[in-house]
Amino acid sequence: MIRSEDLLHPTPAGLYCPPGDFYVDPVRPVDRAVVTHGHSDHARSGHGAVLATPQTLAIMAERYGEDFTRLRQPVAYGETASHNGVDIRLVPAGHVLGSAQAVITHQGLTMVVSGDYKRRRDPTCVGFEPVPCHVFISEATFGLPVFTHPPDAEEIGRLVQSLGQFPDRAHLVGAYALGKAQRVIRLLREAGWERPIYVHGALERLNRLYEREGIDLGPILPATGLKKDALGGEVAIAPPSAIQDRWARRFADPVTAFASGWMLVKARARQRGVELPLVISDHADWPELIATFEEIRPEEVWITHGREEGLLRWAELNGMKGRALRLVGYDEEDEAEDSPPISAHPRESGDPVLL
């Protein structure tokens, strides 16, 4: 069996597979990339060829333009592609629409690059699928025991309750444009909120993409061209930066809310001036991380970014070999989608080969 370090190892550009000659979620333009999902710290433009789910490729085209790469290889969940004798299979990660784990197999060794993932139900994407493997490569955004997130329905229930308590105030919810905003909308619909939901212009194109993919968001209206003191008793969703910007001043005595796993930390909510913190995360919390390790039982766990010390200690106490990769270029949940996507022009040197 090939050694794990010979199949995948960290480089300044990201995780590299020498026998397959490709990178997974590279942080700089490369000739061949496997991309796990569409968030801008994992999916960057300028690669020669990109292998990803059809939904992730569509998200990248929407955000970067149709020329974000020279060549695309769509791979549906469960399908396998091969390059230089290395098999690549994509399985659901449960993070956002189209998010996938990259299952990489070569010479008897299976390694899973999980990307970002969560284990709880999400009405806007396919749920996480555990895959037996020798090496499981995991994020650790919320990799400390203090991070135990409440049920999503309870948090959305707090928002609905506030709407009833303050019927004359607009409720502005900060939520990232890809994944979180659509999830909050669907959770509101499941909680019985049937009225139109108003959205910032930055969300409109991705909302339409979700609708094309069969995610029913219900009646959506643009939060533009409104009179001063508008939307009393209504919900508006915007990127987190917008709820503290001039954009928010037109609304009626707004209740500011923010949907993020970090809202469990009261100091973060105070720093952002959030009146109604909603603990809704698209990442696994501590119990979900541990449950995943226990279910898969890999020989090794590699931690790519986040709070790796707690997970490494847990692995040691539970008979698993652990390793901190300390990859750079990946953002925490609070930061990844609060800035515009990083753009770059496609590589102009060499002719890339599709995976």
Side-chain angles (χ1 to χ4, degrees), residues 247-292:
W247 178 86
R249 297 177 188 173
R250 73 192 76 178
F251 302 116
D253 188 19
V255 174
T256 56
F258 184 23
S260 169
W262 292 111
M263 291 297 96
L264 194 64
V265 181
K266 293 181 179 179
R268 292 217 180 190
R270 288 195 300 268
Q271 289 169 1
R272 287 182 173 265
V274 174
E275 183 175 348
L276 181 62
L278 302 174
V279 185
I280 300 174
S281 174
D282 284 331
H283 296 259
D285 64 5
W286 174 264
E288 291 171 341
L289 291 166
I290 296 307
T292 302

mmCIF file of all heavy atoms in Angstrom, residues 247-292:
data_model
loop_
_atom_site.group_PDB
_atom_site.id
_atom_site.type_symbol
_atom_site.label_atom_id
_atom_site.label_comp_id
_atom_site.label_asym_id
_atom_site.label_seq_id
_atom_site.Cartn_x
_atom_site.Cartn_y
_atom_site.Cartn_z
ATOM 1 N N TRP A 247 -26.882 50.856 3.996
ATOM 2 C CA TRP A 247 -27.995 50.124 3.391
ATOM 3 C C TRP A 247 -29.109 49.861 4.407
ATOM 4 O O TRP A 247 -30.290 49.841 4.051
ATOM 5 C CB TRP A 247 -27.461 48.810 2.825
ATOM 6 C CG TRP A 247 -28.492 47.931 2.202
ATOM 7 C CD1 TRP A 247 -28.955 47.981 0.917
ATOM 8 C CD2 TRP A 247 -29.206 46.864 2.832
ATOM 9 N NE1 TRP A 247 -29.894 47.005 0.704
ATOM 10 C CE2 TRP A 247 -30.076 46.306 1.869
ATOM 11 C CE3 TRP A 247 -29.188 46.321 4.122
ATOM 12 C CZ2 TRP A 247 -30.915 45.233 2.143
ATOM 13 C CZ3 TRP A 247 -30.021 45.256 4.406
ATOM 14 C CH2 TRP A 247 -30.882 44.724 3.438
ATOM 15 N N ALA A 248 -28.744 49.627 5.674
ATOM 16 C CA ALA A 248 -29.719 49.237 6.684
ATOM 17 C C ALA A 248 -30.480 50.419 7.278
ATOM 18 O O ALA A 248 -31.466 50.219 7.996
ATOM 19 C CB ALA A 248 -29.020 48.464 7.810
ATOM 20 N N ARG A 249 -30.078 51.648 6.974
ATOM 21 C CA ARG A 249 -30.684 52.797 7.645
ATOM 22 C C ARG A 249 -32.088 53.117 7.157
ATOM 23 O O ARG A 249 -32.816 53.868 7.792
ATOM 24 C CB ARG A 249 -29.786 54.025 7.454
ATOM 25 C CG ARG A 249 -28.406 53.870 8.096
ATOM 26 C CD ARG A 249 -27.545 55.089 7.818
ATOM 27 N NE ARG A 249 -26.171 54.867 8.267
ATOM 28 C CZ ARG A 249 -25.173 55.718 8.018
ATOM 29 N NH1 ARG A 249 -25.409 56.838 7.327
ATOM 30 N NH2 ARG A 249 -23.958 55.456 8.442
ATOM 31 N N ARG A 250 -32.484 52.545 6.025
ATOM 32 C CA ARG A 250 -33.802 52.856 5.466
ATOM 33 C C ARG A 250 -34.920 52.095 6.175
ATOM 34 O O ARG A 250 -36.098 52.359 5.925
ATOM 35 C CB ARG A 250 -33.810 52.510 3.982
ATOM 36 C CG ARG A 250 -33.848 51.016 3.696
ATOM 37 C CD ARG A 250 -33.566 50.679 2.255
ATOM 38 N NE ARG A 250 -32.152 50.794 1.969
ATOM 39 C CZ ARG A 250 -31.608 50.515 0.790
ATOM 40 N NH1 ARG A 250 -32.364 50.143 -0.202
ATOM 41 N NH2 ARG A 250 -30.311 50.623 0.600
ATOM 42 N N PHE A 251 -34.571 51.119 7.004
ATOM 43 C CA PHE A 251 -35.586 50.228 7.544
ATOM 44 C C PHE A 251 -36.108 50.712 8.897
ATOM 45 O O PHE A 251 -35.436 51.437 9.625
ATOM 46 C CB PHE A 251 -35.030 48.808 7.662
ATOM 47 C CG PHE A 251 -34.552 48.273 6.340
ATOM 48 C CD1 PHE A 251 -33.213 47.967 6.130
ATOM 49 C CD2 PHE A 251 -35.438 48.088 5.290
ATOM 50 C CE1 PHE A 251 -32.778 47.495 4.916
ATOM 51 C CE2 PHE A 251 -35.011 47.620 4.063
ATOM 52 C CZ PHE A 251 -33.674 47.320 3.876
ATOM 53 N N ALA A 252 -37.295 50.241 9.246
ATOM 54 C CA ALA A 252 -38.001 50.714 10.426
ATOM 55 C C ALA A 252 -37.408 50.128 11.700
ATOM 56 O O ALA A 252 -37.618 48.951 11.997
ATOM 57 C CB ALA A 252 -39.486 50.346 10.311
ATOM 58 N N ASP A 253 -36.631 50.984 12.439
ATOM 59 C CA ASP A 253 -36.091 50.602 13.752
ATOM 60 C C ASP A 253 -35.638 49.144 13.752
ATOM 61 O O ASP A 253 -36.163 48.313 14.500
ATOM 62 C CB ASP A 253 -37.169 50.822 14.820
ATOM 63 C CG ASP A 253 -36.635 50.635 16.242
ATOM 64 O OD1 ASP A 253 -35.409 50.694 16.427
ATOM 65 O OD2 ASP A 253 -37.460 50.405 17.140
ATOM 66 N N PRO A 254 -34.650 48.793 12.918
ATOM 67 C CA PRO A 254 -34.381 47.374 12.652
ATOM 68 C C PRO A 254 -33.844 46.600 13.861
ATOM 69 O O PRO A 254 -33.052 47.103 14.652
ATOM 70 C CB PRO A 254 -33.334 47.417 11.539
ATOM 71 C CG PRO A 254 -32.679 48.747 11.675
ATOM 72 C CD PRO A 254 -33.748 49.678 12.155
ATOM 73 N N VAL A 255 -34.317 45.361 13.975
ATOM 74 C CA VAL A 255 -33.701 44.369 14.851
ATOM 75 C C VAL A 255 -32.609 43.700 14.032
ATOM 76 O O VAL A 255 -32.892 43.083 13.004
ATOM 77 C CB VAL A 255 -34.725 43.321 15.319
ATOM 78 C CG1 VAL A 255 -34.033 42.210 16.105
ATOM 79 C CG2 VAL A 255 -35.813 43.965 16.161
ATOM 80 N N THR A 256 -31.352 43.830 14.453
ATOM 81 C CA THR A 256 -30.261 43.213 13.708
ATOM 82 C C THR A 256 -30.015 41.807 14.239
ATOM 83 O O THR A 256 -29.834 41.604 15.444
ATOM 84 C CB THR A 256 -28.976 44.041 13.816
ATOM 85 O OG1 THR A 256 -28.630 44.219 15.184
ATOM 86 C CG2 THR A 256 -29.168 45.403 13.168
ATOM 87 N N ALA A 257 -30.013 40.859 13.328
ATOM 88 C CA ALA A 257 -29.744 39.457 13.656
ATOM 89 C C ALA A 257 -28.581 38.978 12.802
ATOM 90 O O ALA A 257 -28.267 39.569 11.769
ATOM 91 C CB ALA A 257 -30.989 38.608 13.406
ATOM 92 N N PHE A 258 -27.935 37.910 13.242
ATOM 93 C CA PHE A 258 -26.813 37.359 12.500
ATOM 94 C C PHE A 258 -26.824 35.855 12.683
ATOM 95 O O PHE A 258 -26.846 35.359 13.814
ATOM 96 C CB PHE A 258 -25.501 37.974 13.006
ATOM 97 C CG PHE A 258 -24.266 37.548 12.244
ATOM 98 C CD1 PHE A 258 -24.354 37.076 10.946
ATOM 99 C CD2 PHE A 258 -23.023 37.650 12.828
ATOM 100 C CE1 PHE A 258 -23.214 36.692 10.243
ATOM 101 C CE2 PHE A 258 -21.869 37.285 12.136
ATOM 102 C CZ PHE A 258 -21.974 36.792 10.843
ATOM 103 N N ALA A 259 -26.861 35.104 11.576
ATOM 104 C CA ALA A 259 -26.896 33.645 11.610
ATOM 105 C C ALA A 259 -25.479 33.105 11.435
ATOM 106 O O ALA A 259 -24.913 33.147 10.353
ATOM 107 C CB ALA A 259 -27.813 33.110 10.515
ATOM 108 N N SER A 260 -24.900 32.599 12.512
ATOM 109 C CA SER A 260 -23.525 32.086 12.482
ATOM 110 C C SER A 260 -23.282 31.214 13.709
ATOM 111 O O SER A 260 -23.822 31.480 14.787
ATOM 112 C CB SER A 260 -22.518 33.241 12.475
ATOM 113 O OG SER A 260 -21.198 32.763 12.695
ATOM 114 N N GLY A 261 -22.463 30.188 13.530
ATOM 115 C CA GLY A 261 -22.080 29.377 14.675
ATOM 116 C C GLY A 261 -21.344 30.165 15.732
ATOM 117 O O GLY A 261 -21.388 29.833 16.927
ATOM 118 N N TRP A 262 -20.693 31.246 15.313
ATOM 119 C CA TRP A 262 -19.937 32.065 16.261
ATOM 120 C C TRP A 262 -20.837 32.898 17.159
ATOM 121 O O TRP A 262 -20.362 33.485 18.138
ATOM 122 C CB TRP A 262 -18.955 32.965 15.522
ATOM 123 C CG TRP A 262 -17.854 32.191 14.879
ATOM 124 C CD1 TRP A 262 -17.656 32.012 13.549
ATOM 125 C CD2 TRP A 262 -16.806 31.474 15.537
ATOM 126 N NE1 TRP A 262 -16.556 31.224 13.337
ATOM 127 C CE2 TRP A 262 -16.017 30.884 14.531
ATOM 128 C CE3 TRP A 262 -16.473 31.275 16.876
ATOM 129 C CZ2 TRP A 262 -14.907 30.104 14.826
ATOM 130 C CZ3 TRP A 262 -15.361 30.485 17.171
ATOM 131 C CH2 TRP A 262 -14.595 29.915 16.158
ATOM 132 N N MET A 263 -22.115 32.956 16.862
ATOM 133 C CA MET A 263 -23.024 33.697 17.733
ATOM 134 C C MET A 263 -23.217 32.998 19.075
ATOM 135 O O MET A 263 -23.831 33.542 19.989
ATOM 136 C CB MET A 263 -24.366 33.901 17.051
ATOM 137 C CG MET A 263 -24.315 34.867 15.873
ATOM 138 S SD MET A 263 -23.824 36.579 16.340
ATOM 139 C CE MET A 263 -22.043 36.563 15.988
ATOM 140 N N LEU A 264 -22.656 31.797 19.210
ATOM 141 C CA LEU A 264 -22.617 31.149 20.522
ATOM 142 C C LEU A 264 -21.687 31.898 21.466
ATOM 143 O O LEU A 264 -21.807 31.804 22.688
ATOM 144 C CB LEU A 264 -22.140 29.696 20.353
ATOM 145 C CG LEU A 264 -22.340 28.734 21.526
ATOM 146 C CD1 LEU A 264 -23.823 28.534 21.813
ATOM 147 C CD2 LEU A 264 -21.684 27.394 21.216
ATOM 148 N N VAL A 265 -20.740 32.645 20.898
ATOM 149 C CA VAL A 265 -19.791 33.442 21.686
ATOM 150 C C VAL A 265 -20.371 34.845 21.840
ATOM 151 O O VAL A 265 -20.403 35.624 20.886
ATOM 152 C CB VAL A 265 -18.410 33.495 20.998
ATOM 153 C CG1 VAL A 265 -17.423 34.295 21.840
ATOM 154 C CG2 VAL A 265 -17.890 32.082 20.746
ATOM 155 N N LYS A 266 -20.838 35.178 23.033
ATOM 156 C CA LYS A 266 -21.550 36.440 23.240
ATOM 157 C C LYS A 266 -20.693 37.653 22.906
ATOM 158 O O LYS A 266 -21.206 38.672 22.430
ATOM 159 C CB LYS A 266 -22.037 36.518 24.688
ATOM 160 C CG LYS A 266 -23.119 35.484 25.013
ATOM 161 C CD LYS A 266 -23.593 35.616 26.450
ATOM 162 C CE LYS A 266 -24.680 34.589 26.752
ATOM 163 N NZ LYS A 266 -25.159 34.671 28.154
ATOM 164 N N ALA A 267 -19.386 37.549 23.135
ATOM 165 C CA ALA A 267 -18.508 38.679 22.837
ATOM 166 C C ALA A 267 -18.518 39.004 21.345
ATOM 167 O O ALA A 267 -18.451 40.178 20.960
ATOM 168 C CB ALA A 267 -17.089 38.392 23.311
ATOM 169 N N ARG A 268 -18.602 37.991 20.484
ATOM 170 C CA ARG A 268 -18.642 38.241 19.039
ATOM 171 C C ARG A 268 -19.931 38.949 18.650
ATOM 172 O O ARG A 268 -19.930 39.826 17.785
ATOM 173 C CB ARG A 268 -18.498 36.927 18.278
ATOM 174 C CG ARG A 268 -17.134 36.293 18.399
ATOM 175 C CD ARG A 268 -16.728 35.649 17.102
ATOM 176 N NE ARG A 268 -15.417 35.033 17.185
ATOM 177 C CZ ARG A 268 -14.749 34.579 16.139
ATOM 178 N NH1 ARG A 268 -15.269 34.677 14.935
ATOM 179 N NH2 ARG A 268 -13.561 34.023 16.273
ATOM 180 N N ALA A 269 -21.030 38.553 19.277
ATOM 181 C CA ALA A 269 -22.295 39.222 18.981
ATOM 182 C C ALA A 269 -22.241 40.685 19.406
ATOM 183 O O ALA A 269 -22.700 41.576 18.680
ATOM 184 C CB ALA A 269 -23.437 38.498 19.688
ATOM 185 N N ARG A 270 -21.668 40.950 20.573
ATOM 186 C CA ARG A 270 -21.558 42.337 21.037
ATOM 187 C C ARG A 270 -20.660 43.150 20.123
ATOM 188 O O ARG A 270 -20.958 44.313 19.814
ATOM 189 C CB ARG A 270 -21.028 42.366 22.473
ATOM 190 C CG ARG A 270 -22.042 41.894 23.514
ATOM 191 C CD ARG A 270 -21.595 42.287 24.911
ATOM 192 N NE ARG A 270 -20.301 41.698 25.255
ATOM 193 C CZ ARG A 270 -20.148 40.539 25.872
ATOM 194 N NH1 ARG A 270 -21.221 39.824 26.228
ATOM 195 N NH2 ARG A 270 -18.955 40.074 26.155
ATOM 196 N N GLN A 271 -19.548 42.578 19.682
ATOM 197 C CA GLN A 271 -18.625 43.297 18.804
ATOM 198 C C GLN A 271 -19.304 43.722 17.509
ATOM 199 O O GLN A 271 -19.006 44.779 16.961
ATOM 200 C CB GLN A 271 -17.409 42.409 18.494
ATOM 201 C CG GLN A 271 -16.465 42.214 19.672
ATOM 202 C CD GLN A 271 -15.440 41.124 19.403
ATOM 203 O OE1 GLN A 271 -15.426 40.515 18.329
ATOM 204 N NE2 GLN A 271 -14.591 40.867 20.384
ATOM 205 N N ARG A 272 -20.206 42.914 17.017
ATOM 206 C CA ARG A 272 -20.905 43.213 15.765
ATOM 207 C C ARG A 272 -22.175 44.021 15.986
ATOM 208 O O ARG A 272 -22.859 44.365 15.028
ATOM 209 C CB ARG A 272 -21.247 41.914 15.025
ATOM 210 C CG ARG A 272 -20.044 41.233 14.376
ATOM 211 C CD ARG A 272 -20.492 39.989 13.631
ATOM 212 N NE ARG A 272 -19.403 39.398 12.855
ATOM 213 C CZ ARG A 272 -19.179 39.627 11.566
ATOM 214 N NH1 ARG A 272 -19.954 40.475 10.914
ATOM 215 N NH2 ARG A 272 -18.188 39.040 10.938
ATOM 216 N N GLY A 273 -22.518 44.296 17.222
ATOM 217 C CA GLY A 273 -23.735 45.038 17.504
ATOM 218 C C GLY A 273 -24.994 44.268 17.163
ATOM 219 O O GLY A 273 -26.003 44.858 16.745
ATOM 220 N N VAL A 274 -24.960 42.954 17.343
ATOM 221 C CA VAL A 274 -26.081 42.093 16.980
ATOM 222 C C VAL A 274 -27.068 42.027 18.141
ATOM 223 O O VAL A 274 -26.719 41.633 19.252
ATOM 224 C CB VAL A 274 -25.590 40.678 16.611
ATOM 225 C CG1 VAL A 274 -26.768 39.747 16.367
ATOM 226 C CG2 VAL A 274 -24.689 40.737 15.381
ATOM 227 N N GLU A 275 -28.302 42.384 17.875
ATOM 228 C CA GLU A 275 -29.344 42.336 18.895
ATOM 229 C C GLU A 275 -29.919 40.935 19.058
ATOM 230 O O GLU A 275 -30.262 40.513 20.169
ATOM 231 C CB GLU A 275 -30.467 43.310 18.531
ATOM 232 C CG GLU A 275 -31.580 43.403 19.568
ATOM 233 C CD GLU A 275 -32.616 44.462 19.218
ATOM 234 O OE1 GLU A 275 -32.362 45.283 18.308
ATOM 235 O OE2 GLU A 275 -33.680 44.470 19.866
ATOM 236 N N LEU A 276 -30.026 40.201 17.942
ATOM 237 C CA LEU A 276 -30.612 38.866 17.969
ATOM 238 C C LEU A 276 -29.636 37.870 17.347
ATOM 239 O O LEU A 276 -29.687 37.595 16.150
ATOM 240 C CB LEU A 276 -31.943 38.858 17.204
ATOM 241 C CG LEU A 276 -32.709 37.534 17.157
ATOM 242 C CD1 LEU A 276 -33.103 37.074 18.554
ATOM 243 C CD2 LEU A 276 -33.946 37.665 16.258
ATOM 244 N N PRO A 277 -28.709 37.317 18.141
ATOM 245 C CA PRO A 277 -27.775 36.318 17.604
ATOM 246 C C PRO A 277 -28.487 34.992 17.352
ATOM 247 O O PRO A 277 -29.218 34.497 18.207
ATOM 248 C CB PRO A 277 -26.717 36.190 18.705
ATOM 249 C CG PRO A 277 -27.400 36.630 19.957
ATOM 250 C CD PRO A 277 -28.446 37.626 19.558
ATOM 251 N N LEU A 278 -28.275 34.433 16.163
ATOM 252 C CA LEU A 278 -28.871 33.156 15.786
ATOM 253 C C LEU A 278 -27.752 32.145 15.564
ATOM 254 O O LEU A 278 -26.941 32.306 14.644
ATOM 255 C CB LEU A 278 -29.700 33.307 14.508
ATOM 256 C CG LEU A 278 -30.834 34.335 14.550
ATOM 257 C CD1 LEU A 278 -31.460 34.486 13.164
ATOM 258 C CD2 LEU A 278 -31.886 33.951 15.576
ATOM 259 N N VAL A 279 -27.686 31.138 16.397
ATOM 260 C CA VAL A 279 -26.603 30.146 16.313
ATOM 261 C C VAL A 279 -26.988 29.110 15.258
ATOM 262 O O VAL A 279 -27.555 28.051 15.563
ATOM 263 C CB VAL A 279 -26.342 29.495 17.680
ATOM 264 C CG1 VAL A 279 -25.136 28.549 17.590
ATOM 265 C CG2 VAL A 279 -26.110 30.557 18.745
ATOM 266 N N ILE A 280 -26.688 29.443 14.013
ATOM 267 C CA ILE A 280 -26.965 28.552 12.879
ATOM 268 C C ILE A 280 -25.669 28.449 12.081
ATOM 269 O O ILE A 280 -25.201 29.431 11.514
ATOM 270 C CB ILE A 280 -28.101 29.094 11.998
ATOM 271 C CG1 ILE A 280 -29.392 29.232 12.816
ATOM 272 C CG2 ILE A 280 -28.331 28.176 10.802
ATOM 273 C CD1 ILE A 280 -30.522 29.884 12.053
ATOM 274 N N SER A 281 -25.095 27.263 12.045
ATOM 275 C CA SER A 281 -23.787 27.076 11.422
ATOM 276 C C SER A 281 -23.861 26.079 10.281
ATOM 277 O O SER A 281 -24.633 25.116 10.320
ATOM 278 C CB SER A 281 -22.783 26.575 12.469
ATOM 279 O OG SER A 281 -21.549 26.263 11.853
ATOM 280 N N ASP A 282 -23.037 26.305 9.265
ATOM 281 C CA ASP A 282 -22.895 25.344 8.177
ATOM 282 C C ASP A 282 -21.680 24.434 8.376
ATOM 283 O O ASP A 282 -21.269 23.741 7.448
ATOM 284 C CB ASP A 282 -22.775 26.077 6.839
ATOM 285 C CG ASP A 282 -24.116 26.613 6.365
ATOM 286 O OD1 ASP A 282 -25.138 26.003 6.714
ATOM 287 O OD2 ASP A 282 -24.136 27.644 5.671
ATOM 288 N N HIS A 283 -21.114 24.474 9.591
ATOM 289 C CA HIS A 283 -19.978 23.616 9.935
ATOM 290 C C HIS A 283 -20.371 22.673 11.073
ATOM 291 O O HIS A 283 -21.256 22.985 11.876
ATOM 292 C CB HIS A 283 -18.780 24.446 10.384
ATOM 293 C CG HIS A 283 -18.218 25.331 9.318
ATOM 294 N ND1 HIS A 283 -17.088 25.024 8.607
ATOM 295 C CD2 HIS A 283 -18.646 26.521 8.831
ATOM 296 C CE1 HIS A 283 -16.826 25.982 7.734
ATOM 297 N NE2 HIS A 283 -17.765 26.910 7.846
ATOM 298 N N ALA A 284 -19.691 21.544 11.164
ATOM 299 C CA ALA A 284 -19.919 20.600 12.248
ATOM 300 C C ALA A 284 -19.479 21.210 13.576
ATOM 301 O O ALA A 284 -18.418 21.841 13.658
ATOM 302 C CB ALA A 284 -19.151 19.308 11.982
ATOM 303 N N ASP A 285 -20.298 21.023 14.607
ATOM 304 C CA ASP A 285 -19.869 21.429 15.951
ATOM 305 C C ASP A 285 -19.075 20.287 16.581
ATOM 306 O O ASP A 285 -18.837 19.246 15.950
ATOM 307 C CB ASP A 285 -21.064 21.866 16.801
ATOM 308 C CG ASP A 285 -22.064 20.740 17.063
ATOM 309 O OD1 ASP A 285 -21.802 19.582 16.676
ATOM 310 O OD2 ASP A 285 -23.128 21.017 17.669
ATOM 311 N N TRP A 286 -18.648 20.478 17.827
ATOM 312 C CA TRP A 286 -17.797 19.476 18.478
ATOM 313 C C TRP A 286 -18.467 18.094 18.518
ATOM 314 O O TRP A 286 -17.839 17.102 18.113
ATOM 315 C CB TRP A 286 -17.404 19.939 19.874
ATOM 316 C CG TRP A 286 -16.645 18.916 20.669
ATOM 317 C CD1 TRP A 286 -17.154 18.045 21.578
ATOM 318 C CD2 TRP A 286 -15.238 18.640 20.608
ATOM 319 N NE1 TRP A 286 -16.157 17.249 22.102
ATOM 320 C CE2 TRP A 286 -14.970 17.593 21.521
ATOM 321 C CE3 TRP A 286 -14.181 19.186 19.870
ATOM 322 C CZ2 TRP A 286 -13.693 17.078 21.728
ATOM 323 C CZ3 TRP A 286 -12.904 18.673 20.069
ATOM 324 C CH2 TRP A 286 -12.661 17.629 20.987
ATOM 325 N N PRO A 287 -19.705 17.956 18.987
ATOM 326 C CA PRO A 287 -20.308 16.617 18.999
ATOM 327 C C PRO A 287 -20.390 15.985 17.615
ATOM 328 O O PRO A 287 -20.224 14.762 17.466
ATOM 329 C CB PRO A 287 -21.703 16.861 19.589
ATOM 330 C CG PRO A 287 -21.567 18.096 20.408
ATOM 331 C CD PRO A 287 -20.593 18.948 19.638
ATOM 332 N N GLU A 288 -20.635 16.794 16.586
ATOM 333 C CA GLU A 288 -20.729 16.242 15.234
ATOM 334 C C GLU A 288 -19.360 15.806 14.717
ATOM 335 O O GLU A 288 -19.244 14.789 14.021
ATOM 336 C CB GLU A 288 -21.346 17.284 14.301
ATOM 337 C CG GLU A 288 -22.814 17.564 14.593
ATOM 338 C CD GLU A 288 -23.373 18.744 13.824
ATOM 339 O OE1 GLU A 288 -22.587 19.577 13.331
ATOM 340 O OE2 GLU A 288 -24.598 18.840 13.718
ATOM 341 N N LEU A 289 -18.327 16.574 15.032
ATOM 342 C CA LEU A 289 -16.976 16.178 14.638
ATOM 343 C C LEU A 289 -16.603 14.846 15.273
ATOM 344 O O LEU A 289 -16.114 13.921 14.599
ATOM 345 C CB LEU A 289 -15.966 17.258 15.043
ATOM 346 C CG LEU A 289 -16.042 18.583 14.283
ATOM 347 C CD1 LEU A 289 -15.240 19.662 15.006
ATOM 348 C CD2 LEU A 289 -15.530 18.432 12.854
ATOM 349 N N ILE A 290 -16.849 14.729 16.579
ATOM 350 C CA ILE A 290 -16.496 13.504 17.294
ATOM 351 C C ILE A 290 -17.325 12.327 16.789
ATOM 352 O O ILE A 290 -16.810 11.216 16.583
ATOM 353 C CB ILE A 290 -16.692 13.704 18.811
ATOM 354 C CG1 ILE A 290 -15.735 14.769 19.344
ATOM 355 C CG2 ILE A 290 -16.499 12.391 19.559
ATOM 356 C CD1 ILE A 290 -14.290 14.546 18.998
ATOM 357 N N ALA A 291 -18.623 12.548 16.585
ATOM 358 C CA ALA A 291 -19.478 11.475 16.078
ATOM 359 C C ALA A 291 -19.002 10.988 14.714
ATOM 360 O O ALA A 291 -19.062 9.787 14.406
ATOM 361 C CB ALA A 291 -20.928 11.955 15.997
ATOM 362 N N THR A 292 -18.511 11.915 13.890
ATOM 363 C CA THR A 292 -18.008 11.542 12.569
ATOM 364 C C THR A 292 -16.765 10.676 12.688
ATOM 365 O O THR A 292 -16.641 9.645 12.011
ATOM 366 C CB THR A 292 -17.704 12.803 11.750
ATOM 367 O OG1 THR A 292 -18.891 13.591 11.644
ATOM 368 C CG2 THR A 292 -17.214 12.446 10.354
#
